[in-house]
Amino acid sequence: MVEIKDPKSKKYDRQLRIWGAHGQAALESAKICLLNCGPTGSETLKNLVLGGIAGFTIVDGSKVEQQDLGNNFLLSEADLGHSKAQGVSSLLKELNDSVTGGFVETDPEQLINDQPAFFNNFSLVIATQLREATMLKLDDICRAEGVKLLAVRSYGLVATLRVSAAEHAIVETKPDNAVGDLRFHAPWKELHDFAMSFKLAEMDEIMHKHLPFAILLIQAVGHWKAGHQGKLPSGSKERTDFKALLKSWQRQIDGIPVEEENFSEAMTNASKVWSQHGIPSEVQAILEDDCMNLNSSSSTFWCLAAALKRFIEQEGQGCLPLEGTLPDMHATTDLYLQLQRVYQTKAESDVTAVETHLRAILKDNASSISSISRAEVKLFCKNARHLRLVRFRRLSEEFGISCKHNVLRQALTAEDQATNATLYILLRAVDRFYESHKHFPGTFDSPPESEIPMLKAKAGALLSEVGASPSPAWDDCLAEMCRFGAGELHCVAAIIAGMAAQEGIKLLTKQFVPQSGTLVYNAMGSTTSVFCL
Amino acid sequence: MNGEAASPGWPQVVRAKLLQQRMKEAKILAVGAGGIGCELLKTLALSGFENVQVVDMDTIETSNLNRQFLFRKRHVGQSKAKVAAEAVQRFRPSCKINAMQANIKEPQYNVGWFKGFDLVLNGLDNLDARRHVNRLCLAAEVPLVESGTAAYLGQVTVHIKGTYECFECQPKATPKTYPVCTIRNTPDKPIHCIVWAKDLLFQRLFGRADVVSDLDEAAEKAEGETEGDAAAAAEQEASFFVRQTGESSFAYADRVFHRVFCFDIERVISMKDLWKTRKPPVPLRLDELRHAAAGAASTNGIHKSSSSQQATADLSACRLLGIRDSHAAWSTAQSAQVFLMATQLFLDLRSDEVGAAVFDKDDALAVEFVAAASNLRSTCYSISPLSLFDIKGMAGNIVHAIATTNAIVSGLIVAEAIKLLAGMPENCRATHLRSSVHTGRSGRERIIGPSMLEPPNPNCPVCGTAQLSLEIDTHKTTFKELLDRVVRRKLAVAQPTIQYDGFMYEEGPDLDEDEVADYAKFLGRPLHTLPAGGIKDSSVVEVSDQAQKLELSIIVTHQEEWDEEKDPEAFSLGGKLPVASADAPAEDSSVAGLSSLTGANDDDEGIEEVFEEPAFEARPNLTSKRKRSDEEQSPIEKRLKAANNLGEDCEVID
């Protein structure tokens, strides 16, 4: 555990409870680069600065104008005429004195073209309000250096968000309703012996009522297997019979079973006997990944995954390491603690086994990793069932010929996604419009409506590349896109910035699973859609 | 359901001159200046709102700084509302934000005051206040945008009286409670020990002596003693914890330790019945832990040196003892050290608070005391001790809070507020923010999920058909007059049960003589002198009649001056007609009056027979999900709709 100094832990108390001290430590070592600091960019960075990143660098070449004051809270009158990056940067530093910040007064597009090496040392680059062509270049630069990229854009009442990274491996995915494997189907020897040491028939009434349901189920499984060639109950008939077996063990008065809470818990948990033994497909895919062929520069994650694989093949006999957590159950405190100890002991010995494999693996591959603590191995084992690997598509794939057009076609005809899919296409169309006309639709002197046909032409071309026909909302959305005039509305910017910072924190702390595709937020209908293209 | 139908429409109005003018002029009430409130005030100001009233009773804490970005370290201890308002105004002088550091439940914020706003936006952290604001918004007929966040989860809902569900149409989860006997005698989980340490021991030692906790009272009775014995025992118990004249803080801490972790445990062990199925606890002996604890505690007490106010607020037993890691569970000896030290610190350096202290999750010393006491008790009962960090979270019911969720939710609130001002209430949505990737049934990933707003729940005890408002002189009217004239005569309630926060009155054949006599004592008292603060301006009084399956709530407005000609009865009852809920058994016709109303929903005539003088509008309440025609729209909806021609004159402003 990382020890956190007192004042900080007080300041970050409410968030430490979500991502823990190690998550906070990851955040506190993160260096962020923000490209363009309009409301979308400034608000995104503000949320991360409050969370306590190590530092940031803002890249923006523009000066503060009157209209900026209308939608960017991090600028004030005193900044008028001065560098926008400087203004935002100095106020952001005020928000959290443990964060260092700097700025570069240059147009991001120019920096991307002239100094690609600039981005090498950041943990995360947040690119806001950039057009497709610029984003493509930036994605290549970031991928080459293993820097994670977050693209954020708000455009009128629409906003988008997209993560790009070659590989993002997550140990702590923190699923909402994770149910641990309690091994009722195949108890290890110590658990089996412990469970079988209780003789139900000989117990007094009180003990009978307080025998943990885990023990009841393990005994029932043992009993069942003995009569069924060592097989677990399968099919609804056998499962009903299994429950009837449990029921027959209940104490009775005049032939009527007595209410016993531990037995009713056993009934509700009986399904744990025949569900979720195997290795989940996401984890299986990781174990079969090409990266499992280790070399000296393999990451900690892959070394741990290799150790996990050996464990499964050897000690685990096909099973993942035991989580070791026992849910709350009706029992005497004493019995519960004894049972808990049996589970914890097994979990610890599994960790030790994985750790032993890991040491051998690191040595065999002459790994450059200096050390992996037992705590890390333990965390990995505890979460082994929920490991996730996300490989984000390249932007050049999404924007090029390998775009998954079928996904878009499907979305354009789906009732609940048609509008957002249309907006996605139009957002790409406005960039093409810009390439031809050097301004965004609706930002020129002429009335916005006059540019609808030109945008329609660009969008129509895109639509035929996708191989789709216009959705019913097509004409309305086109007109609105022109009316937006590429403006950033503060409340839309604030919402997408909140989501962007959240995805950023997921990437930096390596906790929770980030969105794997392009997220479209539509403020008109309060809807979001994610398209993996 | 999703929001497809909502678009297009909004974009055409969002930049229209008329809407911008309306946003500029709209009077907005923002309740709460915390996590959501800070973001909300900023977003309101930058979206073009210029008249905002913000109310928040809290002061700024260090643990707010990770998300409440309008506050700086130097503001700790100051009013949230005032600092937030100043910060936003400094950046946007055109936006007038009026700040009040006050509890929104105070009587000056009455129905009339709420009526002065066009919209109410909630950014509150407690259910009690949210329900209160909901009721006042209903009574004042002001639309409410309600919000909440917890870690990555958030939600925004819109409530319009008569059009959409009110905040209380769906029952809300209330905090978990634990059996008294478990807390007092037979804890088996850490939380039981924490509740004991916080609600019982902390209260005993440092809290107000006259607040006898429910735990105390109920437990004494639970042990089978008679009423008189219980009172005597409680008094005796309470007096033990009073510090003796001349007693050093060291001796006091020592005495309390022995009492609660040794003497009391031995007493509980002696109750043999409890341990037939459980393992009895083990008492702790301070002398055995002493060698470890000795070095820490000073026999001379701790003296207030030059410590400033700030330092007093930051007092920490752990720091003095050199215990740094708040994520590791303490040893028993460490818990004993912290317990003794924290008790002494409280008595020596915060003596002015003793007797009136209230547990606060951001009070380091209070949390340390509770953590130490609960861990010591856990040790007695063979329950695994927890870390200070974990205990703080459990004792303070701490809701995880991060900047990002607040940013999203506040933006969503403003988006709904704009729709309301644009006269498009039908475009409003309930929006739910999910944690990370949520894969719906369709297999699609979503972060924000909108859903259509539901019409009011006809059985809602708050907004439904049973929402009434009463103007009455709460100083002159007696409780009996209220019962006879209003409850019985106007509302035709046969056997009323009257309830409000902290008070309950019942009638009926099931009561015994003593109870009837007890209740009779209240009858002659003027309303404002009734127990628990009385019935006064802004009080919400729940009236129910079990026999009639009737439940309704009355919002009271204090009114002293009455025109005898116009209101000879000197009160005025308004609101919609009370209707017995649909599932009420109709067979009980012996109950006078209202049972006929069950079937009288759409029959105004029938109602007039029951009410001698129909004092308020008896409009049938239509709550089916079909689309309502214009005639059926609520007054607020109509008002909002009137603004909807904005859509046509789309003047783009640059």
Side-chain angles (χ1 to χ4, degrees):
Chain A
M1 271 286 162
V2 183
E3 201 184 303
I4 296 239
K5 279 180 248 114
D6 184 49
K8 262 193 188 170
S9 80
K10 202 168 175 187
K11 180 164 69 182
Y12 298 134
D13 182 273
R14 300 298 186 269
Q15 64 197 44
L16 280 168
R17 291 172 192 281
I18 301 175
W19 50 66
H22 58 297
Q24 186 63 32
L27 214 51
E28 285 176 27
S29 64
K31 285 185 280 178
I32 312 281
C33 175
L34 173 70
L35 303 181
N36 284 327
C37 60
T40 309
S42 300
E43 291 289 320
T44 306
L45 191 53
K46 179 206 79 189
N47 295 333
L48 291 169
V49 166
L50 288 169
I53 50 171
F56 63 82
T57 305
I58 299 176
V59 182
D60 191 313
S62 61
K63 302 279 188 212
V64 180
E65 294 173 40
Q66 191 64 43
Q67 67 191 42
D68 293 321
L69 302 184
N71 67 5
N72 194 335
F73 190 72
L74 296 159
L75 296 170
S76 61
E77 293 222 1
D79 297 313
L80 277 174
H82 298 289
S83 156
K84 200 189 280 181
Q86 182 178 19
V88 172
S89 153
S90 65
L91 192 73
L92 278 178
K93 278 190 283 186
E94 228 185 87
L95 291 185
N96 190 340
D97 54 15
S98 23
V99 176
T100 58
F103 69 95
V104 178
E105 196 184 346
T106 309
D107 179 30
E109 209 175 319
Q110 199 184 331
L111 197 70
I112 290 164
N113 286 328
D114 301 348
Q115 276 179 267
F118 177 85
F119 300 98
N120 292 0
N121 294 319
F122 292 104
S123 334
L124 177 69
V125 173
I126 303 172
T128 70
Q129 309 299 97
L130 288 180
R131 282 173 287 114
E132 196 168 306
T134 322
M135 283 309 303
L136 283 170
K137 285 182 204 158
L138 182 62
D139 190 31
D140 288 342
I141 294 168
C142 289
R143 291 243 173 186
E145 289 299 325
V147 176
K148 284 170 182 156
L149 176 64
L150 187 57
V152 199
R153 188 174 193 185
S154 61
Y155 196 102
L157 290 164
V158 190
T160 60
L161 172 61
R162 165 74 143 89
V163 176
S164 184
E167 180 186 298
H168 182 66
I170 314 140
V171 176
E172 295 171 87
T173 48
K174 305 203 171 178
D176 280 339
N177 35 20
V179 189
D181 181 3
L182 296 170
R183 297 293 157 84
F184 297 152
H185 65 292
W188 64 95
K189 189 178 177 304
E190 289 79 4
L191 179 62
H192 180 267
D193 293 352
F194 179 73
M196 291 304 178
S197 68
F198 298 92
K199 303 280 173 255
L200 265 174
E202 295 160 20
M203 278 175 186
D204 63 22
E205 210 173 299
I206 287 149
M207 258 318 264
H208 201 269
K209 269 186 188 171
H210 287 85
L211 198 63
F213 83 78
I215 291 176
L216 292 174
L217 283 175
I218 292 164
Q219 290 205 358
V221 168
H223 202 275
W224 178 273
K225 278 185 175 173
H228 295 80
Q229 296 92 43
K231 289 200 180 82
L232 290 169
S234 80
S236 63
K237 164 86 176 60
E238 286 196 10
R239 285 168 187 178
T240 314
D241 290 349
F242 179 82
K243 286 186 186 172
L245 169 70
L246 267 172
K247 210 167 189 117
S248 73
W249 291 351
Q250 256 177 289
R251 287 281 155 92
Q252 296 185 346
I253 296 173
D254 301 335
I256 301 158
V258 181
E259 273 295 313
E260 289 179 292
E261 209 173 319
N262 52 341
F263 274 89
S264 56
E265 281 181 355
M267 296 292 176
T268 26
N269 285 287
S271 62
K272 290 200 170 79
V273 169
W274 47 77
S275 64
Q276 44 134 0
H277 311 145
I279 295 174
S281 57
E282 282 100 345
V283 179
Q284 194 59 46
I286 291 171
L287 298 176
E288 287 162 14
D289 197 274
D290 287 344
C291 290
M292 291 293 275
N293 300 313
L294 301 181
N295 55 47
S296 62
S297 57
S298 289
S299 69
T300 304
F301 179 84
W302 289 113
C303 294
L304 280 164
L308 178 70
K309 193 175 185 181
R310 286 195 192 173
F311 172 87
I312 295 167
E313 287 162 359
Q314 298 173 28
E315 299 89 342
Q317 298 170 353
C319 286
L320 291 164
L322 188 76
E323 284 102 333
T325 41
L326 193 62
D328 205 14
M329 57 186 75
H330 193 72
T332 62
T333 310
D334 206 34
L335 260 183
Y336 181 82
L337 291 175
Q338 283 184 42
L339 185 62
Q340 195 178 43
R341 216 164 300 133
V342 174
Y343 274 89
Q344 282 170 350
T345 309
K346 166 71 172 155
E348 285 295 330
S349 86
D350 283 1
V351 172
T352 305
V354 172
E355 203 178 5
T356 310
H357 288 305
L358 179 71
R359 303 284 165 236
I361 286 165
L362 291 176
K363 202 169 159 222
D364 293 349
N365 291 287
S367 172
S368 55
I369 297 165
S370 54
S371 74
I372 300 175
S373 69
R374 182 173 169 92
E376 253 178 292
V377 181
K378 202 170 169 176
L379 189 71
F380 191 85
C381 290
K382 212 176 161 89
N383 288 287
R385 183 165 295 279
H386 307 290
L387 300 176
R388 281 287 286 277
L389 179 72
V390 188
R391 291 204 170 97
F392 298 92
R393 302 254 298 162
R394 283 177 172 271
L395 293 185
S396 59
E397 289 173 302
E398 178 172 341
F399 296 154
I401 47 161
S402 40
C403 175
K404 292 180 181 165
H405 285 144
N406 59 325
V407 174
L408 267 182
R409 279 199 299 273
Q410 223 167 37
L412 281 164
T413 53
E415 202 201 330
D416 61 342
Q417 290 192 303
T419 305
N420 289 351
T422 303
L423 291 169
Y424 171 83
I425 289 183
L426 290 172
L427 275 172
R428 293 197 44 201
V430 297
D431 281 351
R432 293 198 180 180
F433 183 103
Y434 189 97
E435 299 304 325
S436 307
H437 305 283
K438 297 296 164 222
H439 72 264
F440 284 112
T443 57
F444 215 49
D445 293 340
S446 52
E449 285 75 12
S450 68
E451 297 194 310
I452 293 176
M454 295 189 293
L455 181 62
K456 196 171 184 172
K458 297 289 181 197
L462 252 162
L463 204 57
S464 62
E465 282 171 35
V466 173
S469 43
S471 68
W474 184 250
D475 283 318
D476 289 328
C477 289
L478 260 171
E480 279 147 31
M481 218 62 193
C482 287
R483 279 196 206 101
F484 292 159
E488 283 181 87
L489 289 172
H490 189 84
C491 96
V492 175
I495 291 169
I496 198 71
M499 294 195 236
Q502 200 144 300
E503 295 304 296
I505 290 169
K506 287 181 200 168
L507 292 170
L508 296 168
T509 59
K510 298 196 174 136
Q511 294 180 18
F512 297 95
V513 183
Q515 304 282 319
S516 54
T518 296
L519 179 141
V520 176
Y521 168 64
N522 165 6
M524 301 167 240
S526 311
T527 57
T528 53
S529 305
V530 177
F531 303 119
C532 297
L533 301 167
Chain B
M1 295 301 269
N2 70 41
E4 286 293 304
S7 64
W10 191 33
Q12 298 191 356
V13 300
V14 77
R15 304 189 124 205
K17 258 183 191 157
L18 193 53
L19 175 62
Q20 293 212 331
Q21 190 60 30
R22 182 159 297 162
M23 284 161 70
K24 209 170 159 163
E25 288 167 0
K27 293 192 181 66
I28 306 292
L29 170 61
V31 192
I36 295 173
C38 280
E39 276 285 339
L40 182 62
L41 290 177
K42 173 217 66 176
T43 304
L44 283 172
L46 289 169
S47 299
F49 289 87
E50 296 196 348
N51 286 296
V52 182
Q53 168 75 57
V54 59
V55 181
D56 193 315
M57 67 189 289
D58 285 343
T59 52
I60 296 159
E61 311 268 0
T62 310
S63 62
N64 300 147
L65 302 179
N66 80 324
R67 60 196 187 282
Q68 300 176 13
F69 68 98
L70 298 173
F71 309 146
R72 306 284 178 273
K73 226 187 250 168
R74 63 176 183 276
H75 295 133
V76 170
Q78 297 181 37
S79 156
K80 282 187 177 180
K82 288 184 175 153
V83 174
E86 276 165 28
V88 172
Q89 274 205 296
R90 201 172 63 239
F91 282 90
R92 295 293 167 267
S94 59
C95 182
K96 281 167 213 60
I97 302 182
N98 187 23
M100 287 182 187
Q101 182 183 6
N103 185 343
I104 193 68
K105 290 181 74 181
E106 284 170 20
Q108 74 261 32
Y109 306 124
N110 56 19
V111 177
W113 188 78
F114 269 77
K115 279 188 172 157
F117 296 100
D118 297 297
L119 286 180
V120 176
L121 313 178
N122 262 1
L124 281 163
D125 60 358
N126 70 86
L127 189 60
D128 201 35
R130 292 164 81 183
R131 291 176 65 164
H132 183 82
V133 172
N134 177 52
R135 291 172 185 196
L136 283 154
C137 285
L138 287 167
E141 306 205 351
V142 181
L144 168 67
V145 184
E146 162 65 42
S147 68
T149 65
Y152 285 112
L153 305 179
Q155 66 168 36
V156 175
T157 48
V158 179
H159 308 279
I160 302 174
K161 186 179 179 182
T163 303
Y164 295 135
E165 278 187 344
C166 86
F167 176 66
E168 293 171 90
C169 275
Q170 301 300 331
K172 300 285 177 280
T174 43
K176 195 169 166 49
T177 54
Y178 301 93
V180 172
C181 184
T182 307
I183 303 295
R184 293 270 306 190
N185 299 329
T186 56
D188 59 25
K189 293 194 179 70
I191 186 68
H192 299 148
C193 297
I194 294 169
V195 170
W196 172 86
K198 182 181 81 154
D199 293 348
L200 232 151
L201 193 61
F202 182 86
Q203 185 65 27
R204 271 271 162 75
L205 263 53
F206 311 120
R208 278 175 57 181
D210 60 331
V211 180
V212 180
S213 140
D214 289 349
L215 274 164
D216 268 359
E217 211 161 32
E220 298 297 347
K221 280 185 200 157
E223 282 159 24
E225 296 169 63
T226 67
E227 197 75 14
D229 287 350
E235 201 167 300
Q236 195 193 352
E237 174 119 357
S239 66
F240 175 86
F241 291 97
V242 176
R243 192 173 167 188
Q244 311 295 314
T245 328
E247 186 180 28
S248 73
S249 61
F250 177 80
Y252 176 79
D254 207 293
R255 190 160 64 88
V256 170
F257 186 102
H258 176 76
R259 168 77 179 215
V260 298
F261 300 116
C262 187
F263 178 84
D264 281 351
I265 297 289
E266 281 171 344
R267 196 168 55 101
V268 171
I269 294 170
S270 74
M271 300 176 187
K272 294 270 184 283
D273 281 359
L274 291 174
W275 316 113
K276 282 184 179 157
T277 68
R278 301 181 185 87
K279 197 180 145 199
V282 181
L284 293 176
R285 304 201 189 280
L286 191 53
D287 42 5
E288 288 167 17
L289 298 161
R290 179 75 81 190
H291 66 282
S298 144
T299 46
N300 300 323
I302 299 148
H303 296 290
K304 210 173 215 169
S305 54
S306 58
S307 58
S308 65
Q309 202 62 34
Q310 187 66 37
T312 306
D314 272 355
L315 271 182
S316 160
C318 289
R319 204 170 48 225
L320 288 168
L321 292 165
I323 302 173
R324 289 244 174 70
D325 190 350
S326 62
H327 293 272
W330 299 325
S331 66
T332 308
Q334 277 180 319
S335 291
Q337 280 184 308
V338 175
F339 179 85
L340 296 174
M341 177 68 90
T343 308
Q344 288 187 69
L345 285 172
F346 227 103
L347 293 182
D348 292 338
L349 301 185
R350 289 170 62 172
S351 53
D352 47 340
E353 288 171 59
V354 174
V358 180
F359 176 82
D360 177 12
K361 60 187 182 294
D362 290 304
D363 177 345
L365 194 61
V367 172
E368 286 170 355
F369 174 86
V370 166
S374 85
N375 274 341
L376 288 167
R377 188 167 172 84
S378 290
T379 308
C380 294
Y381 283 91
S382 319
I383 300 165
S384 306
L386 296 177
S387 71
L388 179 71
F389 183 81
D390 289 335
I391 290 175
K392 180 179 173 184
M394 291 161 83
N397 287 324
I398 290 179
V399 177
H400 307 170
I402 42 176
T404 54
T405 311
N406 289 332
I408 300 169
V409 162
S410 308
L412 294 171
I413 296 173
V414 176
E416 296 303 323
I418 294 174
K419 290 182 207 169
L420 286 169
L421 285 178
M424 309 169 83
E426 72 281 4
N427 280 23
C428 288
R429 293 289 178 274
T431 353
H432 298 269
L433 179 65
R434 276 94 177 237
S435 63
S436 71
V437 180
H438 176 86
T439 313
R441 258 176 300 172
S442 56
R444 285 168 189 143
E445 294 178 4
R446 288 215 181 99
I447 277 197
I448 290 177
S451 54
M452 301 298 282
L453 292 161
E454 295 290 332
N457 172 5
N459 295 322
C460 173
V462 179
C463 78
T465 45
Q467 175 72 48
L468 299 168
S469 64
L470 173 69
E471 290 179 37
I472 198 163
D473 188 335
T474 58
H475 291 235
K476 286 193 182 141
T477 313
T478 64
F479 189 51
K480 185 170 191 308
E481 288 168 332
L482 176 80
L483 287 172
D484 290 343
R485 294 182 192 169
V486 182
V487 177
R488 279 188 243 276
R489 210 157 123 214
K490 287 282 174 190
L491 301 173
V493 172
Q495 276 169 17
T497 295
I498 310 287
Q499 274 177 283
Y500 59 85
D501 261 4
F503 175 75
M504 179 163 160
Y505 168 88
E506 287 175 294
E507 286 184 24
D510 297 335
L511 300 177
D512 62 41
E513 281 178 22
D514 290 353
E515 286 172 295
V516 172
D518 274 342
Y519 282 132
K521 287 179 202 156
F522 301 122
L523 294 173
R525 284 160 72 165
L527 297 178
H528 79 290
T529 65
L530 287 170
I535 296 177
K536 52 187 188 301
D537 198 47
S538 295
S539 284
V540 177
V541 180
E542 311 287 349
V543 178
S544 56
D545 187 325
Q546 226 188 339
Q548 298 174 342
K549 293 268 180 284
L550 178 83
E551 278 185 20
L552 49 88
S553 89
I554 304 177
I555 293 186
V556 176
T557 305
H558 174 68
Q559 175 70 37
E560 289 190 7
E561 309 221 6
W562 291 96
D563 180 349
E564 276 196 26
E565 298 268 302
K566 239 176 96 210
D567 297 295
E569 291 183 300
F571 71 84
S572 146
L573 193 59
K576 283 182 188 168
L577 176 74
V579 175
S581 65
D583 56 357
E587 73 270 19
D588 192 1
S589 54
S590 64
V591 178
L594 272 191
S595 59
S596 65
L597 275 179
T598 318
N601 261 7
D602 48 0
D603 183 1
D604 289 6
E605 298 297 310
I607 291 156
E608 290 201 25
E609 286 170 16
V610 179
F611 292 88
E612 295 164 16
E613 307 148 30
F616 43 85
E617 187 188 5
R619 197 157 57 88
N621 188 277
L622 296 161
T623 46
S624 64
K625 291 189 181 185
R626 72 193 160 85
K627 263 211 156 92
R628 289 150 309 155
S629 69
D630 276 352
E631 284 89 335
E632 289 166 344
Q633 283 168 4
S634 67
I636 322 181
E637 199 179 354
K638 277 185 184 161
R639 209 165 72 213
L640 290 165
K641 281 270 187 180
N644 203 7
N645 55 6
L646 278 172
E648 272 101 59
D649 71 357
C650 173
E651 290 168 337
V652 176
I653 295 173
D654 224 345

